[in-house]
Amino acid sequence: MTIGNQIRPRDRKVDAETIAKFAELPVANVSDSMSRVFAAGPTLRPMHAKGSMAGAAITVRSRPGDNLMLHKAIDMAEPGDVIVVDAGGDLTNALMGELMLAYAVKRGVAGFVLNGAIRDVDAFVETNLPTFAAGVTHRGPYKDGPGEINVTISLDGMTIAPGDLVIGDADGVLAVPYDDLETVYEATMAKQAAEEKQMKAITEGTNDRSWVDKALAAAGCQDLTG
């Protein structure tokens, strides 16, 4: 098997119904339902104007500053896919700009997660296709390879396999493994219900705050105020 320079098919991908269900959920609540230990890193910030993202992952591993495999991934994308690129976080050269963005919109791509830089920022804001990237630079990319498509990649310790669910909003990006989708969804819905109950209690002034003093006591905190 070739290592570092290959294009593979996806064996499976999250279905449209599941994508639609998760699209309604805040990333923070999904994250809480995954033990708060998974994240694509705080440097990946929204480059679009507003809105959330949800879709099935096409994964790309590329040489820093090189977008040959990203071009191919856009060619391969099915409507609703999110293209996730591990380019090492290097910001020297942009991975994509206005022209690639326009082509991706034409292809029906649902969003991008780029561990690297973009350019033509105004186009990303105006088009408003969900795009999360690590930075911005005017310097363009190379197109020489090597790279890989549809292999398991890692962004800041969070692994993304081809076909996994990828979601994003103003709080950042999160991948939900294909095999854990139903478990995570059920846990997130329970989290949503608990938060709605808590918000109602806050609004009505009936929320129980006794847990704060209990936690402080358990932590050995000495309260000298009273």
Side-chain angles (χ1 to χ4, degrees):
M1 183 180 72
T2 302
I3 301 298
N5 199 18
Q6 61 177 325
I7 299 171
R8 301 179 63 85
R10 281 185 299 194
D11 297 325
R12 61 188 186 180
K13 60 179 284 189
V14 56
D15 62 86
E17 181 180 355
T18 300
I19 292 170
K21 290 194 303 185
F22 272 90
E24 301 296 321
L25 302 175
V27 171
N29 283 0
V30 181
S31 178
D32 282 355
S33 301
M34 295 174 67
S35 300
R36 303 175 179 174
V37 296
F38 300 94
T43 61
L44 296 178
R45 303 308 306 156
M47 297 295 171
H48 54 291
K50 62 181 179 179
S52 60
M53 174 185 73
I58 290 182
T59 60
V60 179
R61 179 183 290 118
S62 69
R63 180 169 65 91
D66 189 288
N67 72 0
L68 179 60
M69 287 298 180
L70 175 53
H71 272 282
K72 181 60 177 177
I74 299 174
D75 286 343
M76 294 171 59
E78 298 173 354
D81 283 344
V82 172
I83 299 176
V84 186
V85 183
D86 175 15
D90 183 81
L91 305 180
T92 307
N93 298 83
L95 295 174
M96 64 179 292
E98 182 177 12
L99 294 177
M100 292 178 70
L101 176 64
Y103 178 54
V105 171
K106 189 73 172 177
R107 293 284 301 166
V109 173
F112 288 94
V113 179
L114 307 169
N115 192 16
I118 64 165
R119 66 177 181 177
D120 303 327
V121 176
D122 288 345
F124 284 86
V125 174
E126 292 168 7
T127 303
N128 202 36
L129 180 71
T131 301
F132 297 79
V136 177
T137 180
H138 56 80
R139 295 174 65 173
Y142 299 99
K143 296 174 171 60
D144 307 309
E148 298 179 295
I149 295 177
N150 285 331
V151 297
T152 299
I153 61 174
S154 175
L155 302 182
D156 205 29
M158 184 181 74
T159 58
I160 305 103
D164 283 352
L165 174 70
V166 182
I167 58 176
D169 61 20
D171 287 334
V173 174
L174 179 65
V176 184
Y178 182 93
D179 290 330
D180 298 331
L181 286 166
E182 191 59 37
T183 298
V184 172
Y185 181 75
E186 291 176 359
T188 305
M189 292 305 294
K191 170 75 175 174
Q192 292 274 101
E195 286 202 351
E196 289 172 5
K197 181 179 179 180
Q198 186 176 0
M199 184 63 75
K200 184 174 184 292
I202 290 172
T203 302
E204 296 175 349
T206 59
N207 56 311
D208 182 7
R209 301 290 295 170
S210 63
W211 69 268
V212 177
D213 289 334
K214 291 177 182 176
L216 289 169
C221 176
Q222 184 180 12
D223 186 352
L224 303 177
T225 62

